[in-house]
Amino acid sequence: MNNPMKVLFTAALFALPVAAFAHIGADEGAHHVTGFMQGFIHPLTGLDHLFAMTLVGVWSAMNTQKWWLAPLSFASLLLVGALIGMTGLVVPATEHIVAASLLVLGLMVAMQLKLSASTGAVLVGAFALFHGLAHGAELSHSFVALSGMVVATALLHIGGLALGYAMLAAKRSVWWPRVIGASSALLGVGLLSCFFA
């Protein structure tokens, strides 16, 4: 591997899982989120949450007429999970399931998997519960921070929906869903490999 670009790409690929964690597990809960803007920014600072929330919108736009159902399910169950996390309850393997969600959601987008709107909503909702648990432990019982996180989640879903509809409109861009979905799946595999290494 004499090519410097290949070396840089490989190094970045191996560093990606470390950059993904923006919640409990990365800093062992050492930082606490208390304000609206901190709550708003919190889901944007971890690639795992950023990818998952955006891909829910992308998949919904490209694969179901009830485009609102999966994002609504994700945001609602993220809120439930965060409220549970704020109580201090720790659920084993939360981070593993968050990582697995990237793999599954990535494959759903890459393969443009056709599921019924309700099946998709149940699946992403289950993942959202664990994303909420991962965030909720750091919200320091701040409902202001929680509201910021939910607003950011909704905006990421809207951004994903816009991206999904844009890719549908540009029918010649069949590779974009595959690239975006595969990137998420690869990140999920990288995170899972960290747990089982």
Side-chain angles (χ1 to χ4, degrees):
M1 197 185 275
N2 296 329
N3 186 330
M5 290 307 291
K6 286 183 182 178
V7 173
L8 285 173
F9 177 76
T10 303
L13 191 60
F14 282 106
L16 199 54
V18 176
F21 293 114
H23 43 80
I24 198 157
D27 60 4
E28 299 172 351
H31 74 275
H32 299 284
V33 181
T34 56
F36 179 88
M37 282 310 295
Q38 286 177 296
F40 182 87
I41 291 169
H42 197 59
L44 309 178
T45 57
L47 292 178
D48 48 354
H49 296 297
L50 189 63
F51 262 96
M53 293 170 188
T54 303
L55 286 181
V56 167
V58 171
W59 178 82
S60 295
M62 299 189 78
N63 296 287
T64 179
Q65 290 183 333
K66 295 181 180 175
W67 55 267
W68 49 269
L69 195 55
L72 180 62
S73 173
F74 192 101
S76 300
L77 286 167
L78 175 89
L79 176 61
V80 170
L83 288 169
I84 294 169
M86 287 170 70
T87 68
L89 177 68
V90 176
V91 177
T94 293
E95 294 294 344
H96 298 73
I97 295 170
V98 167
S101 74
L102 294 173
L103 174 59
V104 173
L105 290 169
L107 291 175
M108 285 171 64
V109 169
M111 297 166 53
Q112 295 192 34
L113 185 64
K114 301 294 184 192
L115 298 172
S116 70
S118 56
T119 301
V122 168
L123 181 61
V124 301
F127 286 136
L129 194 60
F130 288 92
H131 279 264
L133 285 166
H135 281 302
E138 296 181 334
L139 294 179
S140 305
H141 306 291
S142 171
F143 293 102
V144 174
L146 180 57
S147 65
M149 186 182 75
V150 172
V151 169
T153 297
L155 290 175
L156 286 170
H157 289 330
I158 291 168
L161 285 164
L163 181 59
Y165 283 122
M167 287 190 290
L168 275 177
K171 294 187 186 296
R172 65 184 183 278
S173 302
V174 294
W175 284 99
W176 279 113
R178 295 175 187 171
V179 169
I180 293 167
S183 299
S184 175
L186 186 60
L187 178 58
V189 169
L191 292 174
L192 285 168
S193 69
C194 290
F195 294 124
F196 298 110

